[in-house]
Amino acid sequence: MKNNVLKGSLFIALGASSYGMLATFVKMAYQEGFSTAEVTLSQYILGFAGLLILSLLTKRKSETKPKTSGLKSIFKLILAGTSLGLTSTFYYLSVQYVPVSVAIVLLMQTVWMGVIAEMIIYKKLPGLRKILSVVIILIGTILATNLLQESVTINWIGFFWGLMAALSYTATMYSSNNIELNSPPLRRSLFMILGGFIVIALIFHSSINVHFSTGIFMRWGILLSLFGTILPPLLFTRGMPLTGMGLGLLLPL
């Protein structure tokens, strides 16, 4: 039991570390003139392609035929994946208006959101240890980002999008811990990313044929897809069932 929790904790920590690098990459892409639509679409197009290739290679190497789930199972995963697409969209919009350190702090508000969600879903009040842990971790996050040492004027548009990203991120963690746990992590990640891609395509469809630079794919798309679309979902879907939502939400900090 302890080994499983430790293993799950490691997966989640690695996934959060990968996801935490995105804000810096996105900021650099913005400085080169790329838009939110270009950044997000390139990330999910290449990310879905990468997961699809990995899935096909895994099927060929597998000696035993994997369990196949019906369309209902696939639909659940795709629907759950919409929160991934929304998280990326809201997070990248936030980075447009606020410094990276502030965007990270806003995204990590998912800690108290997750505690509230867990309380509502499981109808159980959080213990004193969990409450104290949340407070300590949030304070540590602020200190780690040097937020108190910076002269920051909060842009309320960026603040709003940051909180929306945290809310979507909480939904992603819940999905990773509850939806179709019997399916292989790679398969779950593939369909969840497909759901995220569908949402992003709907949001940015008007930007695809207008001032869309394909240079984003080679310049930043590979890095964004690796650290934002391939590694985190694989690691979260593997780790969250082992740790549970409560611990899983605290570990990224």
Side-chain angles (χ1 to χ4, degrees):
M1 183 67 179
K2 290 183 178 180
N3 288 336
N4 286 337
V5 173
L6 181 61
K7 186 186 296 184
S9 301
L10 179 61
F11 286 137
I12 293 172
L14 290 173
S17 299
S18 298
Y19 199 76
M21 297 172 66
L22 287 178
T24 302
F25 293 146
V26 172
K27 202 75 169 182
M28 294 171 70
Y30 284 160
Q31 291 174 354
E32 294 183 7
F34 293 110
S35 66
T36 302
E38 291 165 340
V39 167
T40 313
L41 284 168
S42 65
Q43 173 186 326
Y44 275 79
I45 289 172
L46 293 180
F48 179 74
L51 286 172
L52 182 60
I53 292 172
L54 287 174
S55 180
L56 292 174
L57 291 176
T58 302
K59 283 185 178 180
R60 287 185 177 181
K61 291 182 179 181
S62 179
E63 295 180 359
T64 59
K65 188 176 180 180
K67 295 181 180 179
T68 57
S69 301
L71 292 177
K72 186 177 180 181
S73 171
I74 293 174
F75 177 76
K76 283 183 180 179
L77 291 170
I78 292 175
L79 185 62
T82 57
S83 62
L84 277 171
L86 292 175
T87 299
S88 297
T89 302
F90 297 150
Y91 191 36
Y92 298 167
L93 286 172
S94 177
V95 170
Q96 277 189 316
Y97 298 99
V98 299
V100 170
S101 59
V102 177
I104 293 173
V105 170
L106 291 173
L107 181 64
M108 289 303 102
Q109 301 310 302
T110 190
V111 172
W112 61 264
M113 291 181 181
V115 171
I116 292 176
E118 191 175 37
M119 182 177 63
I120 294 173
I121 293 170
Y122 300 109
K123 298 179 180 179
K124 182 180 179 181
L125 292 174
L128 180 60
R129 286 186 180 180
K130 184 171 290 186
I131 294 174
L132 290 175
S133 298
V134 169
V135 173
I136 293 172
I137 289 173
L138 289 177
I139 293 174
T141 303
I142 294 174
L143 294 176
T145 56
N146 293 321
L147 185 61
L148 297 179
Q149 299 178 15
E150 297 178 2
S151 178
V152 178
T153 301
I154 296 294
N155 184 300
W156 290 105
I157 297 177
F159 189 84
F160 169 77
W161 288 125
L163 289 181
M164 291 298 292
L167 187 62
S168 299
Y169 192 46
T170 303
T172 298
M173 288 295 194
Y174 174 79
S175 300
S176 299
N177 188 47
N178 291 276
I179 306 298
E180 296 299 318
L181 299 182
N182 292 327
S183 296
L186 183 58
R187 183 179 184 277
R188 293 178 68 209
S189 299
L190 177 65
F191 288 114
M192 287 181 71
I193 291 301
L194 177 58
F197 173 67
I198 291 172
V199 167
I200 287 172
L202 291 174
I203 294 173
F204 295 112
H205 72 279
S206 60
S207 302
I208 295 176
N209 295 323
V210 181
H211 306 299
F212 188 90
S213 174
T214 56
I216 186 66
F217 286 98
M218 293 302 298
R219 185 73 180 116
W220 293 105
I222 296 176
L223 280 174
L224 291 170
S225 62
L226 177 62
F227 290 104
T229 316
I230 296 177
L231 291 178
L234 282 174
L235 293 168
F236 287 151
T237 54
R238 183 75 182 272
M240 285 296 288
L242 298 177
T243 64
M245 185 175 176
L247 178 59
L249 285 165
L250 297 176
L251 283 169
L253 297 177

